[in-house]
Amino acid sequence: MDLSAFPEESQQRLRLLLQPWLPKELVDELIDHHTSVTYSKDSIIFLQGSPADLIFWVVSGLVKLYCPLAGGGRTLVKLAGPADLLGHIDFLDSERRRVQAFEAHALTKCSIAIVTREQLNRLLQKLELQQVIRLLEGVNTYWSSMAQRFATFLGISFRERLEMTFNDLAAKFGVRDTRGTLLMPELSHVDLAEMIGSSRPMVSRLVNEMIEEGTLSRRGKQYVLLNRPNPAATSPTAVQLRETVRGNGHSGWQPPMAANPDGRSPARIRSL
């Protein structure tokens, strides 16, 4: 396959993601043997319950990863961008078939590289024993840190969840300027509500609070996290959050202080 159409930066990001766990030659082989598919804005990439026989690599564009809920709602689990992997989270259905646990929708026009699990399995069979052990250790650390992050997320207030979400987005999709950090994705209050598990009116109230406090502003349909010197920015909670979002977005996270009864955090994070 001709890779000239794919940004070199995206290929490099994927190599950086995989090479701590896989030999370089296997990473190169994985990148070289894939199928490219372009999805238009708002199109469905895969649905919950569809066969989990493919792994998706986002080459360009943005993808929303949803967890559908029994009552008809959904949780926006992740906003995926270039070099992110999708489709690797699955479960066994009633007929013992491996199927997708989540569903993915294109937020923007996307270019996706697709690799079959069969291809991936053939590559993994080439690993030496020590390489398999190192890979298993990395997978265990990855899932452990995700479990800790989601457990922490459930135990904090909506305000803290929103702050955490904005910081995650800033670390991954932000562009620094003199005022602060511009978040490139255009997200509605409904999107943010689905990301923190609240109602849209709650998000609207929290966003207005942050704007009034001078920690957030709007630029068209985009948000800007404003620079604002703050003693809380050097608190242990703030330092942990910055280290988390500057890394992989979840590892190393430690539970923050408990929320006050009014739902507000006792130590708000006002800047990156």
Side-chain angles (χ1 to χ4, degrees):
M1 167 166 288
D2 180 12
L3 291 180
S4 60
F6 299 119
E8 179 63 31
E9 181 182 0
S10 295
Q11 295 180 45
Q12 184 61 26
R13 285 179 181 173
L14 187 62
R15 287 189 173 92
L16 290 174
L17 174 68
L18 297 179
Q19 282 182 0
W21 320 115
L22 296 175
K24 180 180 182 302
E25 57 272 17
L26 291 190
V27 175
D28 290 339
E29 187 174 348
L30 182 63
I31 291 176
D32 290 343
H33 295 84
H34 65 269
T35 301
S36 175
V37 180
T38 299
Y39 293 88
S40 60
K41 175 180 168 60
D42 296 326
S43 61
I44 297 173
I45 299 173
F46 58 82
L47 290 173
Q48 184 184 59
S50 59
D53 52 0
L54 300 174
I55 302 295
F56 302 81
W57 162 37
V58 182
V59 177
S60 64
L62 298 175
V63 176
K64 291 180 177 179
L65 187 67
Y66 287 110
C67 178
L69 304 176
R74 60 187 182 180
T75 299
L76 181 50
V77 179
K78 178 179 182 179
L79 187 62
D84 280 337
L85 296 176
L86 302 171
H88 57 290
I89 303 177
D90 58 44
F91 69 97
L92 296 177
D93 66 8
S94 59
E95 299 181 11
R96 307 298 293 174
R97 296 175 301 186
R98 195 175 298 279
V99 296
Q100 295 288 354
F102 299 144
E103 62 184 44
H105 298 237
L107 175 60
T108 65
K109 181 180 178 181
C110 298
S111 178
I112 307 289
I114 300 175
V115 177
T116 67
R117 284 183 181 262
E118 182 180 357
Q119 289 175 300
L120 184 58
N121 290 340
R122 284 201 301 266
L123 288 177
L124 294 178
Q125 290 172 13
K126 300 178 181 180
L127 293 177
E128 302 288 341
L129 178 59
Q130 288 301 316
Q131 293 170 332
V132 172
I133 293 173
R134 184 174 65 178
L135 178 61
L136 289 175
E137 289 175 342
V139 170
N140 180 69
T141 299
Y142 172 76
W143 285 114
S144 298
S145 58
M146 282 191 64
Q148 184 185 28
R149 173 178 165 81
F150 283 123
T152 300
F153 199 76
L154 290 173
I156 60 180
S157 68
F158 288 136
R159 170 64 184 254
E160 288 174 302
R161 292 183 187 183
L162 186 60
E163 291 170 342
M164 184 175 172
T165 297
F166 276 137
N167 278 279
D168 286 347
L169 293 170
K172 193 169 185 179
F173 304 112
V175 176
R176 299 284 298 183
D177 64 17
T178 55
R179 297 181 62 203
T181 304
L182 174 66
L183 308 185
M184 298 307 295
E186 296 180 358
L187 298 173
S188 68
H189 286 190
V190 172
D191 292 327
L192 293 173
E194 290 176 339
M195 295 179 87
I196 69 171
S198 78
S199 65
R200 185 199 58 76
M202 171 63 74
V203 165
S204 298
R205 180 173 72 80
L206 294 175
V207 167
N208 288 337
E209 270 186 16
M210 296 177 72
I211 291 175
E212 291 173 1
E213 294 168 2
T215 61
L216 186 72
S217 71
R218 296 292 298 267
R219 184 180 299 176
K221 296 182 179 181
Q222 296 167 311
Y223 291 96
V224 180
L225 289 185
L226 299 176
N227 293 326
R228 183 176 176 182
N230 190 323
T234 58
S235 70
T237 303
V239 172
Q240 289 168 358
L241 180 57
R242 287 199 300 273
E243 291 303 314
T244 297
V245 299
R246 286 173 181 170
N248 58 18
H250 51 261
S251 65
W253 171 261
Q254 297 294 327
M257 299 171 61
N260 287 326
D262 64 359
R264 298 186 183 183
S265 166
R268 295 177 181 170
I269 313 305
R270 302 185 186 275
S271 61
L272 288 174

